[in-house]
Amino acid sequence: MSKKSDGKVLAQNKKASHDYFIEDTYECGLVLTGTEIKSLRLGRANIGDAFATIRNGEAFVHNMHISPFEQGNRFNPSDPTRARKLLLKKVEINKLLGLAKQEGYTLVPLKVYVRNGYAKLLLGLGKGKKQYDKRDTAAKRDAQRDIQRALREKQKVAR
């Protein structure tokens, strides 16, 4: 029996690396209802404003928008931004609960993808960046880009 290959990234939170220092990541499953998986596979998901919480020993993602499936039926969920349960082991949930209670830490969804036919969410433990941290990161990125450009030009001249 052949193993299903890893799918493409369906939704990505590009703003997360700009706003947070991502210290650790966790892969968790998503509990979806009705035709949400069909809509997700079409790339109709947005996790830009999403965040995760832990309540009563269960993890949930909030404000993750999955548009209703156009050819859907009566099983289409009525609220596209409803809270969706995350599938994590109890040990991971307890660890995340302890880490997220620390000052300045939050649980940030980084990307949604399909692995072996199941919808997965990459959850990151992030510490919020201050404004000067964001400027410092941008300055380092620009400096690295200038260095790479100079090296490429030097290699062109050497040929």
Side-chain angles (χ1 to χ4, degrees):
M1 197 165 131
S2 66
K3 182 181 176 188
K4 294 181 185 178
S5 64
D6 294 343
K8 64 178 181 170
V9 175
L10 304 174
Q12 192 167 6
N13 189 355
K14 295 180 181 179
K15 200 169 92 170
S17 63
H18 183 264
D19 292 339
Y20 300 97
F21 293 113
I22 304 299
E23 296 186 1
D24 201 6
T25 59
Y26 297 89
E27 181 184 70
C28 48
L30 278 169
V31 175
L32 301 173
T33 61
T35 55
E36 284 182 328
I37 187 66
K38 292 181 179 186
S39 185
L40 195 66
R41 286 179 195 261
L42 291 175
R44 299 188 177 271
N46 183 5
I47 60 171
D49 296 330
F51 63 96
T53 60
I54 298 175
R55 281 184 286 142
N56 300 329
E58 295 180 336
F60 293 92
V61 64
H62 302 274
N63 288 346
M64 180 177 149
H65 188 278
I66 298 177
S67 298
F69 188 59
E70 289 94 11
Q71 290 84 28
N73 51 20
R74 65 178 181 227
F75 298 113
N76 261 349
S78 59
D79 184 18
T81 59
R82 68 180 180 83
R84 291 171 178 87
K85 187 175 177 180
L86 298 177
L87 301 174
L88 287 164
K89 294 183 178 179
K90 188 62 103 176
V91 174
E92 292 175 330
I93 290 175
N94 290 336
K95 183 178 177 183
L96 282 174
L97 183 62
L99 292 172
K101 281 188 175 179
Q102 294 178 10
E103 186 68 27
Y105 284 92
T106 186
L107 299 173
V108 183
L110 300 175
K111 59 182 167 180
V112 177
Y113 52 95
V114 174
R115 173 171 288 168
N116 296 334
Y118 295 104
K120 302 287 184 177
L121 180 108
L122 188 67
L123 192 65
L125 179 69
K127 183 170 176 71
K129 284 186 182 179
K130 305 283 187 212
Q131 188 64 34
Y132 58 85
D133 290 330
K134 294 178 187 179
R135 285 193 296 265
D136 186 45
T137 304
K140 286 180 184 176
R141 186 177 57 237
D142 293 342
Q144 189 66 29
R145 189 180 308 131
D146 292 341
I147 290 169
Q148 293 297 326
R149 185 179 299 131
L151 287 174
R152 277 196 308 264
E153 289 178 5
K154 186 176 181 181
Q155 287 177 348
K156 286 182 183 179
V157 172
R159 289 184 187 180

